[in-house]
């Protein structure tokens, strides 16, 4: 069932607040999360026909509370749980006498941030963090997450179940030394966005719902931590990258590289917002990795044409970024900038020094640089090798077309 966008946004926006209200009141994160999912599904079925209630968040809290209460009462230790809940809950937050939650009481506004920290618990591996974040904070169903990552629903359900068991019993609240966990939260959102913007497998170049959800959650992070340079930098990076979304593919879903895109189709409002965010982040503190990546994206987005791109500035930014994050992805991207400033041979020399597992991307970059250097046969072979390694069908088609053109 496809919901109207306003209802879908309303449900996803309220999901973390509703879950936060239930966990704070009752505990039992895993049971509360299940109850919230049931309430979201009930709203998805009812609201399109009956209309959105005057207090949608209150409606969701009330329905989820009833679901959770029913679940708790079915267990053998029902009376002990209810006694503990009553003792630990402030009197003005107790459920009304009819068992309904006090829907007129607004949950705390930082529940989104609290849940993000909980979902990014250090004991969870990155795939589990992503899955739990999308379900608990994003309000996506298990089926939606499974479709986004092209895995069976049963596999994703097991992943989420294991993640919830890991965080069972963890106190609901912002953890001590929460700043130490912030990089994991930002990295999780970054991974979600990357998979949505450039799908690693499947027939679609992009998974727009996934990228959009990452942007929404990054906005929530920035709203709650407006003075954190990396939270601002991450949101700026997403906006500046996603601004090119409409121009990245043709009418048949074919990939269009950056230097061939119609820049009139780029989202100018998103670019303006992203530039403002990264400018503030860079001028109000030391530059972090996300702010630097955003600054690189801004240089691309502000160039009126490919030939007007300031590759010297981009290379300088990559030099700083690689100094902070000397990973293979960063060094691969820097090799491209080196080639654009100093010529393809210099870029190929940088590629030869790279180590690390990067899938098809080194071959794709090598093919591009060899083509620029006039080595058509070697470039063709590199394009073919890259096409064989990627699981993305649009990327496969693009790379094979480049190889075929060099055979003519």
């Amino acid at each position: 069932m496809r919901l109207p966008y306003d209802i879908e946004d309303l449900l996803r926006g309220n999901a973390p607040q509703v879950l936060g209200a239930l966990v704070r009141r009752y505990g039992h994160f895993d049971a509360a999360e299940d109850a919230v999912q049931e309430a979201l599904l009930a709203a998805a079925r009812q609201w399109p026909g009956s209309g959105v209630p005057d207090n949608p968040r209150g409606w969701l809290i009330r329905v989820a509370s009833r679901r959770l209460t029913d679940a708790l009462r079915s267990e053998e230790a029902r009376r002990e749980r209810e006694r503990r809940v009553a003792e630990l809950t402030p009197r003005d937050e107790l459920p009304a006498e009819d068992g309904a939650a006090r829907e007129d009481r607004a949950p705390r506004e930082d529940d989104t941030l609290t849940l993000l920290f909980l979902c990014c618990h250090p004991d969870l591996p990155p795939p589990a963090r992503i899955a739990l974040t999308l379900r608990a904070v994003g309000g996506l169903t298990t089926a939606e997450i499974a479709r986004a990552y092209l895995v069976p629903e049963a596999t994703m359900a097991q992943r989420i179940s294991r993640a919830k068991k890991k965080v069972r019993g963890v106190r609901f609240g912002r953890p001590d030394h929460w700043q130490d966990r912030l990089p994991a939260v930002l990295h999780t959102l970054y991974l979600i966005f990357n998979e949505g913007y450039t799908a690693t497998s499947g027939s679609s170049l992009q998974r727009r719902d996934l990228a959009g959800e990452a942007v929404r959650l990054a906005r929530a992070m920035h709203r709650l931590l407006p003075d954190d340079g990396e939270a601002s930098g991450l949101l700026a990076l997403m906006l500046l990258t996603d601004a090119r979304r409409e121009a990245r593919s043709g009418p048949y879903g074919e990939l269009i590289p950056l230097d061939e895109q119609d820049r009139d189709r780029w989202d100018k409002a998103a670019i303006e917002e992203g530039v403002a965010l990264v400018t503030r982040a860079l001028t109000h503190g030391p530059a972090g990795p996300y702010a630097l990546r955003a600054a690189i994206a801004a240089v691309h987005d502000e160039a009126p044409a490919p030939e007007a791109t300031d590759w010297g500035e981009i290379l300088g930014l990559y030099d700083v970024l690689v100094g902070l994050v000397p990973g293979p992805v960063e060094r691969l991207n820097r090799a491209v900038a080196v080639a654009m400033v100093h010529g393809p041979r210099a870029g190929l020399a940088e590629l030869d020094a790279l180590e690390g597992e990067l899938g098809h991307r080194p071959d794709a970059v090598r093919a591009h640089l060899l083509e620029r250097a006039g080595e058509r046969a070697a470039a063709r072979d590199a394009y073919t090798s890259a096409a064989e390694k990627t699981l993305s069908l649009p990327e496969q088609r693009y790379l094979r077309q480049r190889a075929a053109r060099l055979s003519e």
Side-chain angles (χ1 to χ4, degrees), residues 117-184:
F117 282 118
L118 181 63
C119 293
C120 295
H121 194 278
D123 289 344
L124 294 175
R129 293 176 186 172
I130 290 170
L132 194 58
T133 297
L134 288 172
R135 181 168 161 101
V137 189
L140 276 67
T141 65
T142 302
E144 288 174 322
I145 302 169
R147 284 197 300 271
Y149 282 89
L150 300 180
V151 299
E153 185 175 350
T155 300
M156 186 58 69
Q158 290 176 353
R159 185 178 298 173
I160 293 171
S161 177
R162 287 194 296 266
K164 289 196 287 188
K165 287 179 181 177
K166 281 280 190 180
V167 301
R168 183 179 295 167
V170 176
R171 180 181 64 86
F172 185 76
R174 194 175 299 185
D176 296 333
H177 309 295
W178 62 268
Q179 295 92 337
D180 296 338
R181 202 179 296 182
L182 182 59

Side-chain angles (χ1 to χ4, degrees), residues 112-113 116 186 189 211-226 231-232 234-236 238-240 242 267 269-274 277:
T112 297
L113 188 59
L116 280 168
L186 297 177
L189 298 182
E213 184 61 20
V215 173
R216 187 183 72 80
L217 294 176
R219 282 193 184 280
M221 283 289 295
H222 173 63
R223 185 168 61 250
L224 296 166
L225 298 173
S232 300
L234 179 61
L235 176 57
M238 290 183 183
L239 291 171
L240 290 164
D242 200 47
D267 186 337
I271 293 173
E272 184 177 349
E273 182 183 1
L277 281 167

